[in-house]
Amino acid sequence: MHNIKKLLAGFLCIAVVISIGGDAVFSDESADEQETVSEAQTEEQDTSDSKNETPVTEEQAMSLMTLVAENDLLSFYKNEDEGTLALKDKKTGHIWWSNPINAKLSSGKKSQKQELQSGMVLTFGEPANRSTTILNSKKGADEIFSDIPNGVQITYDFGGPGITVPVNITLEKDYLKLYVDTSKITEKDSSQAGKITTDLAFMTTFGAAGPDENGYFVIPDGSGALINFNNGKTGYKSYTGKVYGRDITAVKTTKPAVTQQVYLPMYGIVKGDSGLMVVADKGDTAASINAYVQGQNNTDYNSCYFDFEVRTSDYYLMGGDVNPLKMFEKHGILVPEIEVRYYPVSNEDSSDVDYVDIASRYRDYLISDKGVEKKAAAGSSPLYVDFFGGTLKTTPVLGIPLRLKRAVTTFSDAQEILSELKSLGTESIVVNYNDWTNANISEKISDSASPSGLLGGKSDFNKLLDYSAENGVKLYPAVDNLTFKSGKGYWTITDTAIRTSNEYSRQIEYDLAYNVENKFYKPLSLFSPASYDKMFKKLFNSYEKYGLTNISLGSATTKIYGDYGNNAVSREMAKFILEKNFAAADEKVGSILADQANAYALPYADHIINVPLSSSKFDIFDAEIPFYQIVMHGVVPYSTTPVNGDADIGKLVLQAIASGSNFHFDFTGVAASKLKDTKYDRLFYAYYKNWTADAAGCYKLSQDVLSNASDKTITEYNILSENETETVFDDGTRITVNYDDNTVALNGTVYKLSDYIRKEIIG
């Protein structure tokens, strides 16, 4: 009887998977952790007598290395017997090891020692039993070295699962490059009954720090964070941050934890007068950043590294079943290339390296290798404003609740708000105008520059455009086509992204109190990246025809996801589609405003709004820094998250000054009571009449303190104490912020926050 039940369950599972139904399917994040097996989970402590071994010195380890390639800046070495690589910075003499030279002497389990000595960690899936297994190359693979120009190829042959991964490592002008052409990965049996590659991590201990070393990791989580080596936080979780955020094609039954996004595919290692800036140049959409400290992961070392999810997975939750079924992406590996670059960082005067030096090296990389151009202008610190045009509101009609369009900020409202800000002395304003077309208000795809009649139509919109042009206002009409309902030539049957579980991706609203699905709102379909080209082409042509020269692309610059149905579009492929269309927007329309910006959007952005001023505040972090802002200041102008939407306004304003951020406010033309039963209810704080004076005050503060250095890079950011920071710009401008006194000092001249905004909101 038991076998019959299992057989029936199997048939039901197959039937569900084959059909692409309209019901939402949910995943369970913890299930993946439960079904991933590592030998370390069951292994006993290593009992080998390693205490009697003598530690190897760096000189002794180098004597066993063979020179592979060198140039004026760097030397690259290998030890085939140990499977170890080394990169020497000729300027400082510092050697960056791929594996700790005394890994064998590490305490902990045998498998952890093996991972410390490994060049690669493979995670493979078994679709038949819906599980994954982790193997390190020291135990699970043959490591086959062969010479290639300026480097080596290491082929990792994992005999157990029958997976072979060739990795090319070459010395370039000023960095070491690790490169994988994923089409060269071979899988003996990738059928449902076989074993498939799901995740790859390379040189997981490159630059690892021992228990007696000082330094830290630079993590681009939100604004940025530091993890000190050997910080004693062994009882906390190690860090993992998905680059560009999670793939939202998979839908969670409960709201995911609120964390900041990783916008930049890089991390840094700082050790005294030497640093390392590591960037995922290709395959970045599949990357996660991982970091652990001594005492975590059962090792004596501190390490930071990338891993790459090359096949996605999802879960199917059958009705009434508490055990979701794990399903793997069925179209093979859709991440064409992986490339990691290791850039040694040092100073000309041999002084200690810090996170500002890491940021500077990454900025140079963005400019020289990614085409980011300087857009920041001298003497310019505009006020950034978000307007919200219209929304759907549940309204009873003859006793029947209907979702009807309602105006929130009309075009004439917007002009009135701008006029009031101007009268209060705000000379330079950048506006992001959301939901200004009927299509977006109706939650449909908007591919036309067609002003909503509900908000005043073309006549009032043109008046707003004319007013903006005459009064120093840069108006960016925004289009956000992340989710949609059928209509306007786009249909949920054909244009919805498909999950790995073979179901439509329906994005749900979460209840604010309980973080479960809010049944008040019907789920919306996630717009497939396979339909981007069609939509963007029409949109840009329409903007061009209307004569609009500014555009905001909403979520497109910060949300990236795949379509795992017949379209077979991975996040990496979606990135290529987006980059192509960002370039088209630049050509066909002109200036682009990015509502937050992942790294791939930076070459196209003229303004960036909603840049966070904090990290995710994980326990393993030791300090927060404005790393994103240090990278971008003097290159592309950016703003804070909404000042009037923050719980601690005074602190945010001071953080903005310390990080060189322009100020940002959300405005609606109606009071909070009018937003009830709409998706704008989160904007309860945004009624403009409550905030225009404070917005003008923030603008005045930025003019007095920040504007003279608006086109300058940040050369120092010093945490003087728990409540005081100092920021230095490349023209010598020095800004000190005191969070106790709510004051800002510019080159010694003190400005009080209470002279600019109301005392009662400072906190």
Side-chain angles (χ1 to χ4, degrees):
M1 187 67 179
H2 179 67
N3 290 334
I4 292 174
K5 286 183 178 180
K6 288 177 65 177
L7 188 61
L8 286 172
F11 283 132
L12 283 171
C13 176
I14 293 169
V16 169
V17 171
I18 292 174
S19 65
I20 303 179
D23 294 335
V25 181
F26 304 107
S27 63
D28 185 337
E29 287 181 300
S30 64
D32 191 29
E33 296 175 2
Q34 293 167 359
E35 295 183 7
T36 300
V37 178
S38 171
E39 293 177 351
Q41 293 176 317
T42 57
E43 188 183 7
E44 297 297 326
Q45 195 82 6
D46 186 15
T47 58
S48 62
D49 189 13
S50 60
K51 293 182 180 180
N52 295 327
E53 295 187 32
T54 303
V56 176
T57 66
E58 196 164 75
E59 290 76 14
Q60 290 172 325
M62 281 300 294
S63 70
L64 302 175
M65 305 296 287
T66 302
L67 180 67
V68 176
E70 67 176 332
N71 56 36
D72 292 340
L73 301 174
L74 305 169
S75 301
F76 174 36
Y77 301 86
K78 67 176 180 179
N79 181 332
E80 293 190 18
D81 293 334
E82 297 290 338
T84 301
L85 306 175
L87 179 66
K88 183 176 182 179
D89 183 348
K90 290 185 174 181
K91 184 186 298 185
T92 64
H94 188 90
I95 300 171
W96 296 95
W97 296 91
S98 64
N99 310 87
I101 58 176
N102 286 298
K104 295 178 182 178
L105 303 184
S106 171
S107 63
K109 297 179 180 179
K110 186 176 181 180
S111 61
Q112 266 81 33
K113 289 187 180 183
Q114 290 169 340
E115 184 171 333
L116 288 173
Q117 300 173 72
S118 294
M120 179 185 156
V121 176
L122 166 74
T123 305
F124 66 89
E126 297 180 78
N129 58 26
R130 307 185 186 282
S131 67
T132 53
T133 302
I134 301 172
L135 283 178
N136 66 68
S137 62
K138 193 66 178 179
K139 179 179 181 180
D142 291 329
E143 300 178 351
I144 305 165
F145 280 72
S146 56
D147 293 334
I148 58 175
N150 292 317
V152 295
Q153 180 179 86
I154 309 175
T155 301
Y156 298 97
D157 185 1
F158 290 86
I163 295 172
T164 302
V165 184
V167 180
N168 289 355
I169 304 172
T170 55
L171 185 66
E172 308 298 325
K173 179 182 178 181
D174 56 353
Y175 64 92
L176 188 69
K177 180 173 79 173
L178 182 151
Y179 176 80
V180 179
D181 178 350
T182 62
S183 68
K184 306 295 185 184
I185 296 174
T186 60
E187 298 167 329
K188 183 178 180 181
D189 182 2
S190 59
S191 69
Q192 285 293 308
K195 297 178 175 64
I196 58 175
T197 308
T198 62
D199 191 279
L200 302 171
F202 307 98
M203 298 200 293
T204 61
T205 54
F206 195 107
D212 57 346
E213 289 189 78
N214 295 317
Y216 52 82
F217 300 123
V218 182
I219 308 294
D221 179 284
S223 63
L226 304 179
I227 300 175
N228 292 332
F229 302 160
N230 308 304
N231 62 12
K233 298 183 178 182
T234 58
Y236 297 123
K237 288 184 177 180
S238 57
Y239 175 77
T240 296
K242 180 73 173 177
V243 173
Y244 308 143
R246 68 180 184 88
D247 189 332
I248 61 173
T249 311
V251 183
K252 308 299 181 184
T253 53
T254 57
K255 186 177 181 179
V258 178
T259 59
Q260 296 290 356
Q261 186 159 303
V262 175
Y263 299 97
L264 309 175
M266 56 77 61
Y267 63 86
I269 305 175
V270 172
K271 295 182 177 182
D273 66 352
S274 298
L276 195 69
M277 193 280 287
V278 186
V279 58
D281 184 78
K282 294 181 175 66
D284 44 321
T285 62
S288 293
I289 300 171
N290 304 275
Y292 60 85
V293 296
Q294 185 268 338
Q296 294 178 326
N297 208 28
N298 292 311
T299 77
D300 299 329
Y301 290 88
N302 309 263
S303 190
C304 191
Y305 63 94
F306 287 115
D307 73 87
F308 297 86
E309 184 185 37
V310 295
R311 268 191 181 90
T312 62
S313 62
D314 200 353
Y315 291 86
Y316 185 85
L317 185 62
M318 299 181 70
D321 194 350
V322 295
N323 296 311
L325 303 176
K326 186 169 187 174
M327 309 185 72
F328 296 101
E329 202 282 312
K330 61 182 179 294
H331 293 289
I333 296 175
L334 299 179
V335 181
E337 300 172 287
I338 293 170
E339 182 176 318
V340 182
R341 297 182 179 185
Y342 301 86
Y343 290 87
V345 178
S346 58
N347 290 318
E348 292 295 333
D349 60 0
S350 299
S351 61
D352 282 354
V353 169
D354 66 10
Y355 45 81
V356 176
D357 299 307
I358 300 295
S360 177
R361 187 64 193 86
Y362 183 63
R363 183 193 312 122
D364 291 344
Y365 159 83
L366 289 174
I367 293 171
S368 63
D369 290 67
K370 292 301 179 181
V372 173
E373 297 178 0
K374 186 170 182 175
K375 310 285 181 63
S380 175
S381 293
L383 176 70
Y384 289 80
V385 171
D386 257 83
F387 288 143
F388 300 86
T391 187
L392 295 178
K393 183 178 176 69
T394 301
T395 307
V397 178
L398 299 176
I400 302 173
L402 299 176
R403 300 275 287 164
L404 303 177
K405 291 182 292 184
R406 289 289 182 264
V408 174
T409 312
T410 66
F411 301 134
S412 60
D413 289 337
Q415 186 170 328
E416 179 182 338
I417 296 168
L418 293 172
S419 179
E420 184 169 330
L421 289 170
K422 295 289 289 185
S423 71
L424 293 169
T426 312
E427 296 299 324
S428 178
I429 306 173
V430 176
V431 175
N432 186 48
Y433 207 133
N434 304 278
D435 295 327
W436 64 285
T437 68
N438 279 328
N440 267 175
I441 294 173
S442 301
E443 299 177 337
K444 297 176 181 177
I445 296 297
S446 180
D447 63 6
S448 174
S450 180
S452 171
L454 179 72
L455 305 181
K458 185 177 291 186
S459 175
D460 282 358
F461 185 68
N462 288 342
K463 290 178 183 178
L464 178 60
L465 289 176
D466 291 341
Y467 176 86
S468 299
E470 294 166 3
N471 289 276
V473 176
K474 293 182 179 179
L475 179 65
Y476 288 81
V479 172
D480 196 340
N481 290 324
L482 180 71
T483 57
F484 74 109
K485 299 175 181 175
S486 286
K488 302 291 183 180
Y490 301 88
W491 311 103
T492 57
I493 294 177
T494 57
D495 296 303
T496 299
I498 304 299
R499 298 172 56 169
T500 300
S501 58
N502 220 28
E503 298 296 312
Y504 289 123
S505 182
R506 310 292 194 194
Q507 301 294 298
I508 63 177
E509 292 288 324
Y510 295 98
D511 184 89
L512 293 176
Y514 301 104
N515 290 333
V516 296
E517 182 181 1
N518 187 336
K519 299 290 186 178
F520 186 77
Y521 299 108
K522 185 178 180 180
L524 295 175
S525 291
L526 184 65
F527 190 53
S528 171
S531 298
Y532 283 172
D533 284 343
K534 170 188 172 183
M535 178 271 293
F536 279 128
K537 182 177 181 180
K538 290 184 176 181
L539 180 66
F540 301 153
N541 286 339
S542 180
Y543 267 61
E544 184 181 36
K545 184 176 180 180
Y546 201 107
L548 297 174
T549 56
N550 299 327
I551 189 170
S552 171
L553 297 173
S555 301
T557 56
T558 190
K559 298 289 186 185
I560 190 161
Y561 53 90
D563 182 344
Y564 305 103
N566 292 332
N567 290 317
V569 179
S570 66
R571 280 175 34 126
E572 189 74 358
M573 296 160 71
K575 181 187 73 172
F576 299 146
I577 297 170
L578 284 169
E579 288 176 331
K580 178 180 67 175
N581 283 290
F582 293 160
D586 189 52
E587 178 183 352
K588 299 281 285 186
V589 181
S591 183
I592 299 173
L593 181 143
D595 189 348
Q596 305 178 58
N598 289 332
Y600 55 81
L602 293 177
Y604 311 97
D606 294 276
H607 297 271
I608 307 169
I609 62 173
N610 285 315
V611 178
L613 288 166
S614 66
S615 72
S616 298
K617 301 182 184 298
F618 291 120
D619 291 327
I620 193 175
F621 291 165
D622 292 294
E624 289 187 321
I625 56 171
F627 185 81
Y628 189 104
Q629 290 87 345
I630 295 171
V631 170
M632 297 310 299
H633 199 277
V635 182
V636 178
Y638 52 86
S639 83
T640 64
T641 52
V643 173
N644 53 340
D646 200 85
D648 192 342
I649 291 174
K651 181 179 179 180
L652 184 144
V653 171
L654 292 172
Q655 286 179 311
I657 295 297
S659 61
S661 301
N662 298 302
F663 294 104
H664 175 201
F665 281 76
D666 283 344
F667 286 138
T668 61
V670 298
S673 60
K674 301 291 185 181
L675 305 179
K676 190 175 184 297
D677 294 334
T678 77
K679 290 184 181 179
Y680 280 174
D681 59 2
R682 60 183 175 81
L683 297 170
F684 60 88
Y685 58 83
Y687 186 38
Y688 80 95
K689 288 188 177 180
N690 299 328
W691 293 105
T692 49
D694 295 303
C698 284
Y699 172 79
K700 178 66 165 58
L701 178 60
S702 68
Q703 293 302 300
D704 289 345
V705 178
L706 292 179
S707 61
N708 287 339
S710 59
D711 63 335
K712 309 303 180 185
T713 59
I714 294 174
T715 56
E716 291 182 46
Y717 180 82
N718 302 310
I719 302 174
L720 303 179
S721 69
E722 184 178 347
N723 295 301
E724 192 171 34
T725 63
E726 178 187 61
T727 310
V728 182
F729 299 83
D730 65 12
D731 65 345
T733 297
R734 189 176 298 268
I735 297 174
T736 304
V737 172
N738 189 301
Y739 292 89
D740 279 340
D741 298 338
N742 292 315
T743 59
V744 174
L746 170 64
N747 296 327
T749 302
V750 177
Y751 298 84
K752 295 180 180 179
L753 200 55
S754 58
D755 291 338
Y756 295 89
I757 61 176
R758 290 173 289 163
K759 291 181 180 180
E760 58 265 31
I761 68 170
I762 292 175

